[in-house]
Amino acid sequence: MAPPPILSLALPSETGRVLSIQSHTVQGYVGNKSAVFPLQLLGYDVDPINSVQFSNHTGYPTFKGQVLNGDQLWDLIEGLEANGLLYYTHLLTGYIGSVSFLQMVLKVVDKLRSINPKLTYVCDPVLGDEGKIYVPQELVAVYREKVVPVASMLTPNQFEAELLVGFRIETEQDGRKACDFLHAAGPSKVVITSLNMSGSLFIIGSHQKEKDQGSVQFRISVSKIPAYFTGTGDLMTALLLGWSNKYPDDLKKAAELSVSSLQAVLMRTLEDYKKTGHDCESSSLEIRLVQSQDDIRNPETKYNGELYT
């Protein structure tokens, strides 16, 4: 008796099939918990591999759990391959805590592209923020020398972009230069997801549609919200994957939709915490993802980009 077909392969969605290698928390929304549900709402089949499984994110007073090592990651990949399940249109990666695991991720990229040469690899190079590195220093060189060249889209924050390009980003022109530097190294799409200059918060996006040609670049100004949230970078990168695949030649539109969704989620989160009387500037806030699903599926575009000329 023949086994039943794998419907996500036999009857694939119009959007795609995503393998997402990120952290997982039992409670709260970071890593895969922040990325999988939004992508599913946008119509993607998503298969998560949890690089860690923790009780909660590490900002709490304590946490418990397990860490997946590189050999265990490869065991999962081999199990999928043995059953003919390793065809993916997209790979998404976020926080990775060791060089050995990151090197195994590179092996996964090669394996997935041997099966689907058109695989889109969306990489959030989680290295640090606001001048502080929170991964082992040696990871920076591996990202710069090995990961960036094989990525299709890169979504660093300002500090991470500085680490990858090797110079400070102090002006918008520096940000645009950093995008072009990264294009030359590999990815055709780059979004620096948060730049803070002279009290203004904005993103810079850049799409180099053909190698050795100029890039289309834009900025989107973002409202500052007086609170700190966890999982926002993971959510933003997932949204950028989702919308940029729907609008492959219009990264500005994809970023406008992504930013509009993210800001709606954060505003709802802030409002809900305020209802409890919580001082929202006293600790990091868990985003209200389930309650914001309409804003994820059908965002109202409130943040519009400006093309650089």
Side-chain angles (χ1 to χ4, degrees), residues 161-210:
E162 290 176 340
L163 291 173
L164 293 175
V165 301
F167 58 81
R168 294 292 304 276
I169 299 174
E170 297 177 326
T171 66
E172 285 189 54
Q173 190 59 39
D174 291 339
R176 297 178 65 189
K177 178 183 172 185
C179 289
D180 284 334
F181 184 98
L182 292 167
H183 287 318
S188 62
K189 295 178 182 179
V190 177
V191 179
I192 304 178
T193 55
S194 61
L195 296 107
N196 199 336
M197 296 178 186
S198 304
S200 297
L201 187 65
F202 58 99
I203 77 167
I204 289 179
S206 185
H207 186 189
Q208 186 182 47
K209 297 184 181 182
E210 298 289 342

Side-chain angles (χ1 to χ4, degrees), residues 63-110:
F63 65 94
K64 300 281 187 178
Q66 302 82 37
V67 177
L68 195 73
N69 64 38
D71 290 338
Q72 291 167 330
L73 168 61
W74 194 248
D75 282 345
L76 296 172
I77 297 299
E78 288 186 324
L80 290 167
E81 184 179 28
N83 290 294
L85 303 175
L86 207 54
Y87 181 91
Y88 291 95
T89 58
H90 295 77
L91 172 66
L92 173 62
T93 62
Y95 174 79
I96 293 169
S98 71
V99 169
S100 61
F101 195 89
L102 184 55
Q103 288 172 334
M104 192 59 74
V105 167
L106 287 164
K107 188 176 176 183
V108 171
V109 175
D110 287 343

Side-chain angles (χ1 to χ4, degrees), residues 75 115 222 272:
D75 282 345
I115 296 168
V222 181
D272 284 357

Side-chain angles (χ1 to χ4, degrees), residues 1-39:
M1 185 174 179
I6 307 301
L7 290 181
S8 63
L9 296 175
L11 300 173
S13 71
E14 294 179 3
T15 44
R17 188 165 186 252
V18 182
L19 180 65
S20 181
I21 305 175
Q22 300 195 60
S23 58
H24 170 85
T25 56
V26 176
Q27 193 280 328
Y29 293 95
V30 298
N32 270 331
K33 283 284 290 287
S34 193
V36 173
F37 179 60
L39 283 169

